[in-house]
């Protein structure tokens, strides 16, 4: 079983965070929610592995 | 005629009538500095030590009250050490390494800065700004006694300037009335609201943040806190502030910052009973304390389009302003002076073309933009400007309690580090194969142990050829500028830190280091032609 990475793994975290907020700039709350949903699905597809995805889902609601 | 704009912490340069005031014709000075704050005083120290006559004009007679900039970064201390006043700062300042981050009623994580070993100075110290200024003024007095050409004139307020091609005519008001003087160079170190900038009608643009913070410096009477930095996002003591920072200063004083929102009645908020109501909500009713100083500040991230306008050059807050998160205000001002001092010295002494000063503009604008970017991001994290921004901010804080990955995203300020002038036209090519990235051309020299002391103490004020396990002549004179060689061995530091920072995979190396202790060229073995070319390039004498 693969393990979900929960240690720091994002290259240049401040740049990433700024990029993340940038895509929401100028969008309504509803639009932002839709963008977030699409983003989750895109990242989930990139991960692919069901074990890892299950652990991520659990971590998010814990 | 001479109402003080602020109360003094102490008087340091009382008004005295100078002979310039009764001179028949305006006296010409090579360099006049407008403003006697930390940046102006550092400019005086830098130039005075080079033997360049410098006159500081300040509209007050000493140092203003209030702790203000309390976080002084390693690089500022290294610069102060070069000027000869780093030690008293280190002795007075408070060093801390542990920080705690709280969200609502919980501590979400704790961090330890685990400072890198082998540096004379810590990552930063906390110290009330008046001390920082006082140590520099004392140093200026000591240098004056040794004959350094530094003059400081209190209650000399610049009323107007007339900028010519190659000099500036200043009208200066004093308690004895106005007088006129001239300056080949005028350095504007007159702070964020720079009157000089206004007189010249120069732009200052950027973002204003719609928030304000209340600062209270307090002295504890019946309790104490550890020497740590505590930051609360959305604390449970809601009536105190929306985010809150607690930080230790010398003399058992704690700095408390409360985020209090944009639409506040400043006068009302500044009443002691209202400040106490916030502090009581924060500290709990049983804690007794004395309020030493308080203030309300708003903040903006702005900079001038150009830091130089002919013979007028701006430095510090006058040139750029940032939000306080990350301690990038006074610290970046010190880097401005570090950068400007040697260049202006060479130009005044006729050893470099005036165009060298354009590199001050480009290098420090690069630095200012880095500071604006970082402090803007911190501000956006601390005071989210949209629902989505807040949603992510709170998610990061929530996750950071249990998952390490989220902690680097928590942004309550990214502390000032000196910038690497990667794109500077003064740099020569990196010719040290296997050399560490942190000491590439453009980078500030990291300190390292050397014998019984430290490397940076040996670099000094001029151009230096640092020869590590390499042969090089003791001295090279190029274009009238002396390059002094410092020959050292990696063996001079048994801990290996010197080798790790300056050699990496290489066995030996030769560095050309600028007077501001930035690397400008490096190579595997000494090559005289290459060093001479690098010196010419670093002093603006060779177009790349």
């Amino acid at each position: 079983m693969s393990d979900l990475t929960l240690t720091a793994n994002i290259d240049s975290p401040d740049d990433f965070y700024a990029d993340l907020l940038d895509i929401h700039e100028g969008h309504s709350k509803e639009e932002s929610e839709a963008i977030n949903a699409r983003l989750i699905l895109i990242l989930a597809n990139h991960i692919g592995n069901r074990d890892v995805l299950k652990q991520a889902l659990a971590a998010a609601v814990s | 005629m001479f109402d003080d704009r602020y109360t003094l912490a102490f008087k340091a340069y009382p008004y005295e009538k100078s002979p310039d005031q009764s001179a028949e014709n305006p006296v010409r000075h090579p360099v006049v500095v407008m403003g006697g704050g930390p940046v102006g005083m550092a400019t005086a120290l830098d130039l005075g030590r080079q033997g360049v006559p410098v006159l500081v004009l300040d509209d007050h007679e000493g140092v203003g009250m209030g702790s203000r900039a309390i976080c002084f970064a390693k690089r500022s201390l290294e610069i102060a050490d070069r000027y000869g006043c780093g030690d008293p700062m280190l002795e007075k300042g408070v060093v801390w390494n542990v920080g705690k981050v709280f969200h609502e009623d919980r501590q979400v994580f704790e961090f330890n800065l685990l400072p890198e070993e082998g540096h004379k100075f810590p990552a930063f110290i906390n110290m009330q700004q008046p001390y920082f200024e006082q140590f520099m003024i004392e140093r200026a007095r000591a240098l004056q006694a040794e004959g350094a050409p530094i003059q400081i004139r209190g209650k000399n307020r610049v009323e107007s300037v007339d900028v010519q091609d190659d000099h500036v005519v200043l009208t200066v008001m004093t308690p004895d009335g106005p007088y006129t003087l001239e300056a080949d160079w005028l350095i504007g170190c007159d702070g964020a609201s720079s009157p000089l900038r206004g007189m010249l009608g120069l732009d200052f643009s950027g973002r204003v943040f719609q928030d304000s913070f209340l600062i209270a410096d307090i002295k504890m009477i019946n309790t104490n806190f550890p020497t740590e930095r505590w930051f609360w996002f959305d604390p449970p003591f809601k009536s105190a502030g929306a985010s809150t920072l607690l930080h230790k200063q010398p003399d058992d004083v704690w700095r408390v910052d409360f985020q209090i929102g944009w639409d506040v009645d400043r006068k009302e908020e500044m009443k002691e009973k209202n400040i106490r109501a916030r502090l009581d909500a924060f500290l709990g009713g049983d804690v007794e304390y004395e309020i030493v100083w308080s203030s309300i500040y708003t903040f903006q991230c702005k900079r001038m389009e150009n830091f130089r306008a002919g013979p007028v050059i701006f430095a510090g807050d006058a040139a750029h302003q940032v939000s306080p998160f990350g301690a990038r205000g006074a610290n970046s001002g010190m880097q401005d002076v570090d950068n400007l001092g040697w260049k202006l010295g060479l130009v005044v002494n006729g050893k470099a073309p005036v165009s060298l000063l354009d590199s001050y503009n480009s290098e420090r604008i690069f630095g200012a933009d880095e500071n604006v970017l970082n402090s803007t991001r911190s501000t956006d994290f601390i005071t989210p400007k949209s629902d989505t921004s807040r949603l992510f901010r709170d998610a990061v804080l929530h996750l950071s309690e249990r998952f390490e990955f989220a902690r680097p995203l928590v942004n309550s300020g990214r502390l000032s580090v000196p910038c690497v002038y990667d794109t500077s036209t003064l740099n020569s090519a990196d010719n040290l194969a296997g050399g560490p990235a942190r000491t590439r051309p453009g980078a500030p020299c990291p300190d390292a142990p050397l014998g019984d002391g430290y490397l940076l103490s040996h670099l000094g004020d001029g151009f230096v050829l640092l020869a590590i396990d390499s042969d090089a002549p003791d001295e090279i004179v190029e274009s009238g500028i002396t390059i002094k060689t410092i020959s050292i061995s990696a063996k001079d530091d048994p801990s290996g830190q010197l080798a790790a920072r300056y050699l990496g995979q290489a066995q030996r190396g030769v560095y050309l280091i600028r007077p501001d202790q930035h690397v400008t060229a490096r190579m595997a073995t000494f090559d005289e032609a290459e060093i001479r070319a690098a010196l010419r390039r670093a002093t603006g004498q060779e177009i790349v």
Side-chain angles (χ1 to χ4, degrees), chain B residues 207-209 213 297-302 317 320-330 332 371-380 382-383 412-414:
Chain B
R207 262 178 76 185
V208 178
F209 293 91
F213 278 74
Y297 64 89
T298 55
F299 43 85
Q300 22 196 306
C301 286
K302 291 184 171 180
D317 282 359
H320 44 75
Q321 206 189 350
V322 294
S323 68
F325 314 110
R328 288 166 182 271
S332 66
N371 289 323
V372 165
L373 180 72
N374 275 290
S375 73
T376 299
R377 285 176 177 177
S378 302
T379 311
D380 285 342
I382 293 164
T383 65
S412 63
R414 297 284 182 243

Side-chain angles (χ1 to χ4, degrees), chain B residues 368-447:
Chain B
D369 286 348
E370 199 171 274
N371 289 323
V372 165
L373 180 72
N374 275 290
S375 73
T376 299
R377 285 176 177 177
S378 302
T379 311
D380 285 342
F381 194 88
I382 293 164
T383 65
K385 61 185 193 299
S386 70
D387 289 342
T388 304
S389 180
R390 172 171 291 275
L391 186 71
F392 276 111
R393 199 280 302 267
D394 290 348
V396 164
L397 290 169
H398 182 108
L399 289 166
S400 71
E401 188 174 353
R402 281 168 309 133
F403 303 126
E404 189 269 336
F405 88 90
R407 292 173 194 168
L409 295 167
V410 174
N411 190 343
S412 63
R414 297 284 182 243
L415 283 156
S416 171
V417 287
C419 71
V420 178
Y421 303 128
D422 270 322
T423 56
S424 175
T425 54
L426 306 187
N427 295 343
S428 294
D430 186 354
N431 287 334
L432 179 62
R438 67 188 287 184
T439 40
R440 66 192 182 272
C445 288
D447 207 355

Side-chain angles (χ1 to χ4, degrees), chain B residues 45-321:
Chain B
L45 291 177
D46 200 304
L47 294 171
R49 282 168 54 75
Q50 297 179 60
V52 175
V54 54
L55 166 62
V56 179
L57 303 177
D58 195 276
D59 61 350
H60 288 69
E61 295 180 299
V63 175
M65 271 285 277
S67 56
R68 295 169 290 150
I70 62 162
C71 251
F72 294 94
K74 182 199 298 276
R75 187 64 204 141
S76 295
L77 298 170
E78 289 169 350
I79 295 165
D81 202 39
R82 185 161 76 77
Y83 299 154
C85 50
D87 287 330
M89 293 175 180
L90 186 58
E91 196 174 313
K92 184 71 195 175
V94 171
V95 179
W96 61 273
N97 289 308
V98 173
K100 288 177 178 160
V101 177
F102 302 86
H103 185 211
E104 296 171 345
D105 56 355
R106 303 180 311 282
Q107 176 180 324
V108 287
F109 67 97
E110 178 179 321
F111 59 87
N112 189 321
L113 297 168
L114 293 174
E116 189 182 64
E117 286 182 17
H119 293 254
K120 178 173 176 184
F121 290 97
F124 37 82
I125 58 168
N126 283 4
M127 181 170 70
Q128 293 87 333
Q129 184 177 326
Y131 284 121
F132 190 74
E133 297 189 47
Q134 181 190 338
F135 294 135
M136 285 202 286
I137 293 169
E138 284 170 0
R139 182 65 187 137
R141 295 301 185 208
L143 287 169
Q144 282 174 324
E146 293 165 18
I150 300 173
Q151 285 189 65
I152 307 166
R153 294 186 191 163
K155 289 219 166 171
N156 270 239
R157 186 174 64 211
V158 177
E159 298 280 273
S160 66
V161 291
D162 177 13
V163 180
Q164 305 288 321
D165 282 348
D166 62 348
H167 71 283
V168 183
V169 183
L170 299 97
T171 305
V172 181
M173 181 55 80
T174 73
D176 287 319
Y179 72 106
T180 304
L181 56 77
E182 296 180 350
D184 290 336
W185 297 97
L186 175 62
I187 317 301
C189 305
D190 53 340
S193 56
S194 173
L196 181 61
R197 214 176 48 218
M199 288 174 206
L200 299 182
L202 296 169
D203 69 302
F204 196 55
S205 54
R207 262 178 76 185
V208 178
F209 293 91
Q210 305 232 317
D211 217 319
S212 44
F213 278 74
L214 177 109
I215 304 177
D217 278 358
I218 54 175
K219 212 165 194 164
M220 296 298 173
I221 292 169
N222 64 348
T223 187
N224 235 331
F225 295 112
T227 305
E228 299 175 352
R229 177 190 199 261
W230 291 358
F231 195 101
W232 284 262
F233 292 98
D234 295 329
F237 38 89
K238 289 197 189 313
S239 58
S243 61
T244 298
L245 173 67
L246 178 72
H247 227 173
K248 173 112 194 260
Q249 302 176 46
D251 309 335
D252 291 319
V253 173
W254 267 263
R255 155 73 68 87
V256 190
D257 287 54
F258 294 121
Q259 181 193 351
I260 61 171
W262 181 239
D263 286 315
V264 292
D265 181 341
R266 293 174 76 101
K267 220 170 154 186
E268 194 61 25
E269 291 294 346
M270 284 296 287
K271 286 184 179 160
E272 176 155 351
K273 74 170 170 53
N274 291 326
I275 296 174
R276 282 194 171 267
R278 288 185 187 277
L279 286 164
D280 291 345
F282 166 50
L283 297 166
D286 302 333
V287 175
E288 291 175 41
Y289 54 86
E290 174 196 335
I291 301 176
V292 179
W293 178 69
S294 58
S295 176
I296 289 178
Y297 64 89
T298 55
F299 43 85
Q300 22 196 306
C301 286
K302 291 184 171 180
R303 75 158 166 87
M304 298 179 70
E305 198 182 332
N306 281 299
F307 296 173
R308 179 180 161 218
V312 184
I313 300 169
F314 291 85
D317 282 359
H320 44 75
Q321 206 189 350

Side-chain angles (χ1 to χ4, degrees), chain B residues 467-486:
Chain B
I468 309 171
D469 293 310
S470 302
D471 291 325
D474 290 345
E475 198 179 279
I476 300 167
V477 180
E478 168 61 38
S479 310
I481 298 165
T482 303
I483 307 170
K484 194 181 76 178
T485 295
I486 296 176

